[in-house]
Amino acid sequence: MNVIGIDAGGTLTKIVYEEKGRRHFKTFYSDDHIEIQKCLKFLAPNHFLYLTGGKAENWRKSFPRAHIVDEFQAVYKGTEMLLKKERQELKQYILINIGTGTSFFRVDEKGCERLLGSGLGGGTILGLGSILTGLSDYFNLVSLSTKGKREKVDLLVGDIYEKGDSPIPDHLTASNFGKGTMSLEKADLMRALTNMIAETIILLASHAAKQYQMNTFVFVGSALEANTAFKEDLTQFQDMLSYTAVFPDMGSYAGSLGAYQIGMEGQDSQNRQ
Ligand code: ATP
Ligand code: MG
């Protein structure tokens, strides 16, 4: 029997399984119950189901024999697998899962501990993004933000201080959306939004990093998917705040891959008993 790892999140449900020696990755909208059910019903006869994420329990009604895996352990385990695949041997780091919301973890040789969370995340890109632009498609919103200029929307330190007078660098934000008017371009608004979320995440991460003397931030979660503007904004303070940003490939699947791996280890230990 094989294993399926399912990360049923607030917005997206990610599925990882292996068939004929190949690993498969699938993503569904979490409210698309019919498609998810179809996929799981098809695979369930010869797979053990390992579920994680906020909506994991909902699937237990249809698949009572499914196992539930701790979400934080799954994300941690999956991230370690992704880093290992890229030969990134990191002894300690701040792990940041940017999903619908954002969770921050401390990882070291002893394991993983959740530190804090923020409601600013991928759900804010979709929700506030749609309020600001009238668009709802994630990829349209993300593509707008790559074309936008946040300086048109944000009040920068340099907008307040006379040239050369500022005690902090001119390009820093004095007030997010501080130049807001009704006549701004959608692209500029989207970039200002992306940047505001990134700035807040970095602020929170760097405080945690300072407390635990860490300087590597590893980012996972689907809010980074095809989102070059967001990644750029998350890396912009690397020199100033002395951190290194790492974006493992396939980071959207960290939770589902972790659930898959925990399932594989569980099955393996049962087979050996
Ligand atoms: P949580 O872990 O907070 O419960 P989740 O697991 O559903 O939520 P992710 O799947 O990691 O969260 O990320 C969801 C976010 O990814 C969305 O809010 C959106 O910003 C972004 N996203 C990426 N691809 C898509 C897509 N195809 N459709 C909608 N949103 C997408
Ligand atoms: Mg999630």
Side-chain angles (χ1 to χ4, degrees):
M1 284 279 265
N2 286 318
V3 163
I4 316 175
I6 305 145
D7 177 7
T11 309
L12 301 174
T13 293
K14 287 77 60 183
I15 296 181
V16 176
Y17 63 96
E18 215 168 87
E19 239 177 21
K20 298 189 186 116
R22 274 197 54 204
R23 204 168 277 175
H24 299 268
F25 299 87
K26 285 192 192 311
T27 300
F28 300 89
Y29 287 100
S30 290
D31 55 14
D32 195 353
H33 299 156
I34 294 174
E35 283 305 309
I36 300 173
Q37 176 103 356
K38 233 194 260 174
C39 173
L40 295 182
K41 275 249 155 36
F42 177 73
L43 294 167
N46 47 9
H47 287 83
F48 291 108
L49 269 57
Y50 281 77
L51 286 158
T52 192
K55 295 191 179 289
E57 279 292 346
N58 300 2
W59 288 104
R60 273 266 278 262
K61 291 176 208 112
S62 312
F63 302 96
R65 285 169 51 201
H67 303 257
I68 301 281
V69 172
D70 177 83
E71 181 178 353
F72 304 150
Q73 277 305 311
V75 171
Y76 159 57
K77 194 112 189 170
T79 304
E80 290 277 292
M81 287 170 75
L82 295 171
L83 290 172
K84 195 167 171 199
K85 190 159 174 252
E86 294 178 5
R87 295 179 204 286
Q88 300 237 35
E89 302 290 333
L90 301 176
K91 284 206 167 62
Q92 51 172 36
Y93 56 92
I94 301 290
L95 168 59
I96 302 155
N97 181 20
I98 316 180
T100 310
T102 304
S103 281
F104 299 75
F105 306 85
R106 170 171 77 113
V107 176
D108 60 20
E109 58 280 359
K110 287 189 221 111
C112 170
E113 180 197 0
R114 187 174 187 274
L115 299 174
L116 69 144
S118 168
L120 287 186
T124 319
I125 299 178
L126 285 176
L128 197 46
S130 122
I131 292 169
L132 290 171
T133 65
L135 302 170
S136 56
D137 180 76
Y138 171 76
F139 295 100
N140 286 343
L141 291 169
V142 158
S143 123
L144 268 182
S145 59
T146 59
K147 296 176 204 134
K149 291 199 178 358
R150 76 165 187 109
E151 308 79 47
K152 303 253 175 82
V153 182
D154 290 343
L155 194 68
L156 305 186
V157 169
D159 292 323
I160 298 179
Y161 278 87
E162 297 290 326
K163 271 244 160 317
D165 281 354
S166 150
I168 48 174
D170 280 354
H171 68 272
L172 295 181
T173 314
S175 177
N176 297 95
F177 285 80
K179 289 180 190 153
T181 63
M182 294 309 281
S183 57
L184 289 163
E185 296 289 329
K186 288 176 180 174
D188 299 332
L189 288 166
M190 268 319 293
R191 187 54 182 258
L193 173 60
T194 305
N195 177 72
M196 182 173 71
I197 300 167
E199 278 185 0
T200 310
I201 288 173
I202 293 303
L203 214 57
L204 292 169
S206 56
H207 273 277
K210 205 169 172 187
Q211 189 179 352
Y212 297 106
Q213 282 136 33
M214 296 185 176
N215 54 16
T216 308
F217 299 166
V218 177
F219 295 95
V220 296
S222 311
L224 300 158
E225 191 76 42
N227 204 343
T228 49
F230 198 20
K231 287 185 187 167
E232 237 173 61
D233 293 347
L234 288 165
T235 50
Q236 67 183 315
F237 299 111
Q238 283 187 120
D239 292 339
M240 191 180 147
L241 298 175
S242 308
Y243 66 89
T244 304
V246 178
F247 300 97
D249 202 25
M250 306 290 278
S252 303
Y253 292 94
S256 48
L257 203 54
Y260 171 84
Q261 185 59 23
I262 290 167
M264 288 299 284
E265 287 165 9
Q267 291 309 314
D268 192 41
S269 72
Q270 277 183 9
N271 287 342
R272 278 191 269 112
Q273 275 167 15

